[in-house]
Amino acid sequence: FKTNTSIYTLCLGYKNIDDEIAENIADLLKVNKTLTSVNFAMNLITAKGAEYIAGALKKNDTITSISLSRNKIGDNGAKHI
């Protein structure tokens, strides 16, 4: 995933992704320079997971679209994004 040069869209909807998994994915997103779109819809991500993802987005300038719909990020999580 770190050396990906051909996948531009990553759809991770409906995968029961929780904050721990979101943190691991966020670590990979920090270094991936090919992805432009990531879909995390319909998972178990809370404000903490949103914070991890937001940190990754600060280091990644290629992702232009992200979906966190139907998670449990709440207002606090949305502030991070």
Side-chain angles (χ1 to χ4, degrees):
F1 192 75
K2 290 181 181 181
T3 59
N4 165 51
T5 59
S6 60
I7 299 171
Y8 299 98
T9 300
L10 185 61
C11 184
L12 297 171
Y14 298 92
K15 301 294 184 216
N16 291 320
I17 294 171
D18 61 13
D19 293 338
E20 183 178 348
I21 297 169
E23 181 179 20
N24 292 325
I25 294 169
D27 287 342
L28 295 172
L29 294 178
K30 288 176 186 176
V31 296
N32 185 287
K33 300 301 178 194
T34 305
L35 287 174
T36 59
S37 177
V38 183
N39 180 348
F40 286 105
M42 298 294 294
N43 281 293
L44 307 171
I45 300 170
T46 69
K48 191 64 177 171
E51 185 176 357
Y52 297 136
I53 293 166
L57 293 176
K58 288 177 184 174
K59 296 186 180 284
N60 183 309
D61 59 358
T62 59
I63 295 175
T64 57
S65 173
I66 188 163
S67 173
L68 288 162
S69 66
R70 303 232 180 202
N71 278 281
K72 301 178 185 293
I73 65 170
D75 291 341
N76 288 336
K79 289 176 187 175
H80 293 293
I81 299 297

